[in-house]
Amino acid sequence: MDSHTHSSTAHLSCHTGPPQELEQDGVAVYATRAMCHRAPKDAFPAHGLPSAVAFQLIQDELNLDGNPMMNLASFVTTYMEPEAEALMATAMRKNFIDIDEYSQTAELQNRCVNMLAHLFHAPASEGVGTSTIGSSEAIMLAGLAMKWRWRDWKKGRGEAADQPNIVCGANVQVCWHKMCRYFEIECREADVSPDCLCLTAERARPLIDSNTIGVCAILGSTFNGEFEDVKAMHDMLEELNEENGWQVPIHVDAASGGFIAPFTAPDLVWDFRLPLVKSINVSGHKFGLVYAGIGWILFRERGDLPDGLVFHVNYLGGDQASFTLNFSKSAACIVAQYYQLVRLGHEGYKAIVENGMAAAAYLREGLVETGKFSVVDRAHMPLVAFSLKDSSKYTVFDLQDRLRGRGWIVPAYTCPSGACDLAIMRVVVKQNFSMDMADAHFDAHPAVRPDTSPSHEMPHGGAVERPTAAAHWSKGAVRRGKQWEAKGRCASLTRATR
């Protein structure tokens, strides 16, 4: 190395010492000494940084994350209007649990509970429920309520109450397994099958006994978006309860479908119109259209929430009732949920859901027309789930990896017990997934475009012809009359009018 090169290298080397000692007002962020130091990772930093420098260091790292708009794996909302974000910024300073200090924010929560109870046809004029961090917390609370009601019923009969179980399908979300393990409840799972990836009344019946605290029905399965037939399970349970003198209830996990079914299938009976449905959870941060951090648990009526699970505190000023696993939390998402409810109303939510259903139908048609995929969803939600017809040359996991290389996050996974050999992919169509986004995703799909194929052995050929977005809209992507036609015994949902 010559002297000139060595001198240049020395000139460019970083100085040692605390980064802030040489910082001056007006110095460009990337001219500061902090840019010559690694960000703190393992030890508590001895020195701080100017706010602009700290912001830019963190922002630059966050830029390495995936694009939320291209994350088709998550059900969670990734877009809200600026007015909603402004309200959230104001409300995030408020600790919601301090309802004596922030009584109006508590009033907004109560309004949300009342609106959702009305949407789900609760018989009482005033809703019973609370906000939660998400549906996971809501399911924990529902599980506790079921266990306590069952325990009181067993004690009233003079029977042991030490072996509770809950009946569900193998397609339940992992939070159900957590709830059962944390609260010592046996989880009785019914196997699914490749042609029916959900729980049915026939599959649930042999698992139910006098120790069953409840049956979990899912409105919008994580695996393929399918609505389970809650009405059929209800009718089966009514018969079992009458025959045996039991009181086995139903909890509906409507985390995904609770903000879908009321707008796409208002005559589908799955909610509090069924007497044995005692509780429902729904995720506000999914199709409730709020950023992550909000769920809801609703009870049919006050008697379905055991008094022993409600705590009263007065050390924040005034008597405050608390029925949550968490205590302190920001009010931001609660305020945002109220904003969405009053901003959109029934018509607004219906329009957004129907747009999503149309985009999903458009993407579904395009995938089918390639001849390479089999659809495994039932078009119950704005979601497309599909499998490869031929996995001998490449698998859905190969497609997942190749799509990720193009920026698209599309999960590939095997199905639950009873259908473990079936591997599928799933695209969740959120409100900001437009027809043009569907085109862009389709065009980047490695099983469709030869130049993006994961294997040189893939069939070559030109682009697959498919209808334009405009043509698809004109055909009516959401075919309401046909939406609930049976596609196998699993999809024949029981209907009734209000």
Side-chain angles (χ1 to χ4, degrees), residues 361-373 375 389 442 448 464-468 472 475:
Y362 176 57
L363 182 61
R364 189 179 297 113
E365 276 189 17
L367 291 171
V368 169
E369 288 177 4
T370 68
K372 299 174 182 177
F373 300 102
V375 171
K389 290 184 177 180
F442 193 87
V448 176
V464 175
E465 294 295 329
R466 62 191 188 284
T468 63
H472 189 79
K475 287 194 297 182

Side-chain angles (χ1 to χ4, degrees), residues 22-179:
L22 298 178
E23 308 294 4
Q24 297 178 0
D25 291 339
V27 175
V29 168
Y30 290 112
T32 60
R33 292 301 180 93
M35 294 302 172
C36 285
H37 295 263
R38 292 185 175 88
K41 294 180 177 65
D42 302 317
F44 200 96
H47 306 281
L49 297 172
S51 58
V53 176
F55 173 86
Q56 196 61 54
L57 277 172
I58 297 171
Q59 183 64 61
D60 288 346
E61 285 202 50
L62 292 177
N63 286 337
L64 301 176
D65 279 342
N67 182 346
M69 289 189 65
M70 299 174 73
N71 182 0
L72 308 183
S74 174
F75 288 81
V76 176
T77 296
T78 55
Y79 167 80
M80 293 188 73
E81 293 175 323
E83 294 84 353
E85 293 181 340
L87 285 171
M88 294 182 74
T90 299
M92 70 173 60
R93 305 182 186 92
K94 299 179 181 179
N95 183 7
F96 172 74
I97 201 65
D98 191 355
I99 59 177
D100 191 65
E101 179 68 23
Y102 305 121
S103 57
Q104 198 57 37
T105 301
E107 168 63 17
L108 296 189
Q109 177 197 245
N110 294 338
R111 293 178 189 176
C112 290
V113 169
N114 289 336
M115 291 177 184
L116 293 175
H118 176 262
L119 186 67
F120 300 154
H121 301 95
S125 58
E126 185 175 349
V128 180
T130 187
S131 63
T132 58
I133 298 299
S135 275
S136 291
E137 182 188 2
I139 286 168
M140 300 284 177
L141 296 173
L144 284 172
M146 286 188 285
K147 183 178 180 180
W148 281 47
R149 289 197 307 266
W150 168 82
R151 185 181 63 186
D152 292 343
W153 173 75
K154 292 285 279 187
K155 288 182 177 179
R157 291 162 58 101
E159 298 175 358
D162 57 352
Q163 293 182 316
N165 69 71
I166 194 165
V167 172
C168 57
N171 57 316
V172 292
Q173 212 261 3
V174 68
C175 61
W176 283 96
H177 299 145
K178 291 181 179 179
M179 185 270 290

